[in-house]
Amino acid sequence: MSENGKTFEESHFHLYDFPTVSIPRLSHLNPDTDRLISEMKPVVLTDTELVASAQKWNLDYLEKNIGPGSYTVYLSNNKKFKYFDESKIREHNLNFTPPTERIEMKFWDFAERLRNWKDGEKRMYLQQPLNDTVGKNMVDDFLSFNWNWIARQKKENNWGPLTSNLLLISTPGNITPVHYDEQENFFAQIHGYKRFILFSPDCYDKLYPHPVWHPHDRQSQVDFDVPQYDKFPKFHDISGQEAVLGPGDVLYLPMYWWHHVETVQHGDYAVSLNFWYKSGPSGKITYPLQGFQKMAVMRNIEKMLVETLKDVNEVGPLLQALVEGRYT
Amino acid sequence: MSENGKTFEESHFHLYDFPTVSIPRLSHLNPDTDRLISEMKPVVLTDTELVASAQKWNLDYLEKNIGPGSYTVYLSNNKKFKYFDESKIREHNLNFTPPTERIEMKFWDFAERLRNWKDGEKRMYLQQPLNDTVGKNMVDDFLSFNWNWIARQKKENNWGPLTSNLLLISTPGNITPVHYDEQENFFAQIHGYKRFILFSPDCYDKLYPHPVWHPHDRQSQVDFDVPQYDKFPKFHDISGQEAVLGPGDVLYLPMYWWHHVETVQHGDYAVSLNFWYKSGPSGKITYPLQGFQKMAVMRNIEKMLVETLKDVNEVGPLLQALVEGRYT
Ligand SMILES: [Zn+2]
Ligand SMILES: [Zn+2]
């Protein structure tokens, strides 16, 4: 292992067109850690022991102990797993071809398929919130998490309740294209390696998210492999922050921070666990608004227009009329 | 007089680049009149006798009878009197040079100046709501208006209260550039001739109003004399409705309808009186929304953004980020 716990080679990750700096890797005891979290800035914590009891959650252990529940698995013919919200297809009667296939599996079927998986086959991404179907051993592991530390973070930062623990298991090389989530997240790496590229909410005008009513809401339209600079000119100016998480690392991924995630290409599968918390009350607002607040305002305008116009196809023309020749 | 009561020549009005059709001229007894008003479509009524008692309100009569009140008069070095809202200059701390000068005058001073006015001098436009300073004869004239007819219109169309009667007196050739008002209006012509060019609220995307926080809120940015088609490309596609009002004519000018108004160039001064009514409750909304409703939605978005961002200079960049590469 290298000093920061990496066992991968840098070449196992893609090269992109934009510059990045490293996300700080700190002890949870370092005073900077609490400061960064309170400022909603990302940081990798190397020694939280948040999920130390889950470090044994490899495929074999999970297969034996996770229980008989049903697991959501996405299948992709390429490396990308771009999230889509199926409810929006129905709600707005959209013509939309999902980029991945969503299936439900028993865990043992998934484990078998993953064990036999070879590069070139359909990639798989299990994404399932833990629920009460998990077996007793894993419940014990769960209860042994460092709730003490994470509850203190929740309290000190005035977050709302923990909403879910998403379990993620990916084939090597899987890519989750750049998007943002609307909750605070501690992302705990359990098995294998994942590379995160993050962008501040201050980049709100550089990543061109799909409309809020679109199934790809919260996902950028920019394809990092072939950025359409003519359509997305401000992507030229973007710069990111980067980290590779290995087993035991926990990333604080602040609400509304854009993130692109890759599982190491030629290595092992990856197992990770999300801790998603609702944001707290906004408290005293200062001006000018911060990037994440502007993102929320923009979301609200789009939602209000869908609600008012009752037709997603009318949102664009109205916004264009509002802007063109007036704010251009 | 010609059959529609015109005593002017068409050449006394400007020629513009867009096509127009005539606004219907109807008797108030014609069943189409009530239908057009209920549909919020413009119509010129030739025989309402709405302000018959005011047909004698020429400069001499007004000077003798209007009383000692103070009158707001705008002065312009050219033909245009583009309205501006001074309160917005202060509210948003804007750098704004008013295109006209606003002064307060006694009516007799205004009358004296208008009587001696010659083409080439500063133009004048008196714009003052009637108030309780008017003399007894004019109060009697006012009480003799056809309140019976107009109150029936108010009632049948569910309008709110009459908010003001704006008295307008203009030097020949004055132009009020294209804008819209947020109230229903019966525009009564008393003396002289005025040409109206109207555009439906469905043209909401073709006339590029200034931002709502701008002193020229509700005014189009398009200069009809030299349209900047590169900046305002959809103005290419506009078409209007036109009418010339003479003494006794009353125009129903529906809320949110764009209007450009000219006083005949080489004729007499013009005297007119507005009847502005608040719109009523919106009632049952049907979809898709109509143009005037979209205009209201757009105003609300801009107002909400000013309120939320607390800086008018941030409205444009946020709206651009919302639209560019996303709804373009
Ligand atoms: Zn995410
Ligand atoms: Zn007006």
Side-chain angles (χ1 to χ4, degrees):
Chain A
M1 279 214 196
S2 68
E3 59 180 326
N4 66 0
K6 295 180 190 176
T7 61
F8 59 91
E9 292 169 38
E10 291 292 348
S11 66
H12 287 182
F13 294 116
H14 293 254
L15 284 172
Y16 298 113
D17 279 353
F18 46 79
T20 59
V21 296
S22 288
I23 298 170
R25 293 178 60 85
L26 300 177
S27 163
H28 73 295
L29 300 173
N30 186 321
D32 283 345
T33 295
D34 287 353
R35 180 182 55 76
L36 287 166
I37 296 174
S38 72
E39 291 173 354
M40 296 178 76
K41 287 181 185 152
V43 55
V44 176
L45 310 173
T46 55
D47 59 359
T48 59
E49 306 274 290
L50 175 61
V51 294
S53 55
Q55 289 312 135
K56 57 181 177 291
W57 289 11
N58 60 24
L59 204 54
D60 291 342
Y61 182 88
L62 289 167
E63 183 177 20
K64 287 199 190 75
N65 294 289
I66 206 166
S70 192
Y71 286 80
T72 297
V73 176
Y74 293 91
L75 305 177
S76 178
N77 292 317
N78 55 53
K79 291 187 172 174
K80 287 173 191 147
F81 291 77
K82 188 169 182 177
Y83 176 78
F84 58 96
D85 182 344
E86 285 173 83
S87 70
K88 297 193 178 187
I89 306 173
R90 291 187 294 273
E91 184 180 355
H92 305 302
N93 200 18
L94 302 173
N95 216 327
F96 178 79
T97 307
T100 59
E101 183 187 354
R102 183 175 63 81
I103 59 173
E104 301 293 314
M105 303 176 88
K106 292 296 176 185
F107 196 89
W108 41 82
D109 291 331
F110 173 74
E112 177 73 6
R113 190 160 167 179
L114 179 54
R115 236 177 244 118
N116 296 319
W117 183 84
K118 283 176 207 69
D119 206 348
E121 295 178 10
K122 276 189 184 184
R123 289 165 184 284
M124 296 189 287
Y125 217 138
L126 181 145
Q127 300 187 11
Q128 174 71 44
L130 292 183
N131 58 40
D132 60 9
T133 64
V134 300
K136 180 182 176 318
N137 286 340
M138 275 183 63
V139 170
D140 289 343
D141 298 339
F142 185 86
L143 294 173
S144 302
F145 288 170
N146 191 351
W147 294 110
N148 191 38
W149 176 79
I150 205 170
R152 187 173 62 77
Q153 291 300 337
K154 167 186 182 292
K155 187 171 171 210
E156 289 187 0
N157 294 292
N158 282 309
W159 292 350
L162 177 71
T163 57
S164 67
N165 289 100
L166 188 73
L167 180 68
L168 297 140
I169 305 179
S170 59
T171 43
N174 284 9
I175 291 175
T176 303
V178 62
H179 70 283
Y180 64 89
D181 300 307
E182 294 183 276
Q183 298 200 46
E184 303 285 353
N185 191 358
F186 279 116
F187 186 98
Q189 188 59 13
I190 290 174
H191 184 93
Y193 292 84
K194 273 187 166 170
R195 175 217 212 175
F196 277 77
I197 306 175
L198 270 58
F199 306 95
S200 158
D202 295 334
C203 299
Y204 67 90
D205 58 345
K206 299 185 178 63
L207 281 159
Y208 306 89
H210 289 267
V212 291
W213 47 264
H214 193 279
H216 283 320
D217 178 28
R218 299 186 289 101
Q219 320 291 307
S220 174
Q221 297 175 85
V222 181
D223 182 339
F224 281 6
D225 294 325
V226 281
Q228 292 177 268
Y229 290 113
D230 54 334
K231 223 182 145 186
F232 312 122
K234 287 185 175 156
F235 185 69
H236 264 303
D237 308 323
I238 209 158
S239 64
Q241 298 186 32
E242 190 160 355
V244 175
L245 305 192
D249 288 339
V250 172
L251 169 67
Y252 167 54
L253 178 45
M255 182 174 66
Y256 284 115
W257 274 67
W258 297 89
H259 47 290
H260 160 106
V261 191
E262 299 179 13
T263 302
V264 63
Q265 287 186 67
H266 304 295
D268 212 351
Y269 62 90
V271 179
S272 322
L273 191 67
N274 261 347
F275 292 73
W276 261 322
Y277 286 88
K278 285 212 165 141
S279 67
S282 61
K284 188 168 154 46
I285 293 169
T286 57
Y287 298 90
L289 293 188
Q290 297 176 62
F292 81 95
Q293 293 164 316
K294 288 182 183 169
M295 288 170 73
V297 169
M298 289 161 67
R299 292 188 65 81
N300 285 339
I301 290 174
E302 288 183 84
K303 286 182 189 173
M304 186 272 270
L305 282 176
V306 172
E307 180 61 34
T308 304
L309 297 170
K310 306 273 189 241
D311 180 354
V312 297
N313 296 312
E314 291 213 45
V315 175
L318 190 135
L319 282 172
Q320 282 165 27
L322 199 51
V323 171
E324 285 172 8
R326 301 186 65 229
Y327 288 104
T328 49
Chain B
M1 278 216 196
S2 66
E3 60 182 323
N4 67 0
K6 294 180 190 176
T7 59
F8 59 90
E9 291 168 39
E10 291 291 348
S11 66
H12 288 182
F13 293 116
H14 291 255
L15 282 172
Y16 298 113
D17 278 353
F18 46 79
T20 59
V21 296
S22 287
I23 299 170
R25 292 178 62 86
L26 299 177
S27 164
H28 73 295
L29 301 173
N30 187 320
D32 282 347
T33 295
D34 286 354
R35 180 183 56 78
L36 287 166
I37 296 174
S38 73
E39 291 172 355
M40 296 177 76
K41 287 181 184 153
V43 54
V44 177
L45 310 173
T46 55
D47 59 1
T48 59
E49 307 274 290
L50 176 61
V51 294
S53 55
Q55 289 312 133
K56 58 182 177 287
W57 289 11
N58 60 24
L59 204 55
D60 291 341
Y61 183 89
L62 289 168
E63 183 176 19
K64 287 199 190 76
N65 294 288
I66 205 166
S70 191
Y71 287 79
T72 296
V73 177
Y74 293 90
L75 305 176
S76 178
N77 292 318
N78 55 53
K79 291 187 172 173
K80 288 176 190 145
F81 290 78
K82 189 169 183 177
Y83 176 78
F84 58 97
D85 180 344
E86 286 173 84
S87 71
K88 297 195 178 188
I89 306 173
R90 291 186 294 273
E91 184 179 355
H92 305 302
N93 200 18
L94 302 172
N95 218 327
F96 177 80
T97 307
T100 59
E101 184 188 354
R102 183 174 65 78
I103 60 173
E104 301 292 316
M105 303 176 88
K106 293 295 177 184
F107 196 90
W108 43 80
D109 290 331
F110 172 75
E112 177 71 7
R113 191 160 165 179
L114 179 55
R115 234 176 246 117
N116 297 318
W117 183 85
K118 282 177 208 69
D119 205 350
E121 294 178 9
K122 275 191 187 183
R123 288 167 184 281
M124 295 190 286
Y125 217 138
L126 180 145
Q127 300 186 11
Q128 175 71 43
L130 291 184
N131 59 38
D132 60 9
T133 63
V134 300
K136 182 182 176 315
N137 286 340
M138 275 183 63
V139 170
D140 289 343
D141 298 338
F142 185 85
L143 294 173
S144 303
F145 288 171
N146 190 350
W147 294 110
N148 190 37
W149 176 80
I150 205 168
R152 187 174 61 78
Q153 290 300 338
K154 167 185 183 294
K155 188 173 171 209
E156 289 188 0
N157 294 293
N158 282 309
W159 293 350
L162 177 72
T163 58
S164 66
N165 288 99
L166 189 72
L167 179 69
L168 297 139
I169 305 179
S170 59
T171 43
N174 283 10
I175 290 176
T176 304
V178 62
H179 69 283
Y180 64 88
D181 299 307
E182 294 183 276
Q183 298 200 45
E184 303 285 353
N185 191 357
F186 279 115
F187 186 98
Q189 188 59 13
I190 290 173
H191 184 93
Y193 290 84
K194 272 187 168 171
R195 175 216 212 177
F196 277 77
I197 306 174
L198 269 58
F199 305 95
S200 159
D202 295 333
C203 299
Y204 66 89
D205 59 345
K206 299 184 179 64
L207 280 159
Y208 305 89
H210 289 268
V212 291
W213 45 264
H214 193 278
H216 284 319
D217 178 27
R218 299 185 290 101
Q219 321 291 308
S220 173
Q221 297 175 84
V222 180
D223 183 339
F224 282 6
D225 293 325
V226 280
Q228 292 176 270
Y229 289 113
D230 55 333
K231 224 183 147 186
F232 312 121
K234 288 185 174 158
F235 185 69
H236 263 304
D237 308 324
I238 208 157
S239 65
Q241 299 186 33
E242 190 161 354
V244 175
L245 305 191
D249 289 339
V250 171
L251 169 68
Y252 167 53
L253 178 45
M255 181 174 66
Y256 284 117
W257 274 68
W258 296 90
H259 47 290
H260 161 106
V261 191
E262 299 179 13
T263 302
V264 63
Q265 286 187 69
H266 303 295
D268 211 352
Y269 62 90
V271 180
S272 324
L273 192 66
N274 260 348
F275 291 73
W276 261 322
Y277 286 88
K278 285 211 166 143
S279 67
S282 60
K284 188 168 154 46
I285 293 169
T286 57
Y287 298 92
L289 294 187
Q290 297 176 61
F292 81 93
Q293 293 165 314
K294 288 183 183 169
M295 288 170 72
V297 170
M298 289 160 66
R299 293 187 65 82
N300 285 339
I301 290 174
E302 289 182 84
K303 285 182 188 172
M304 186 271 271
L305 282 175
V306 172
E307 181 58 34
T308 304
L309 297 169
K310 307 272 190 239
D311 180 355
V312 297
N313 296 312
E314 290 213 46
V315 175
L318 190 134
L319 282 172
Q320 283 165 27
L322 197 52
V323 171
E324 285 172 9
R326 301 187 65 230
Y327 289 104
T328 48

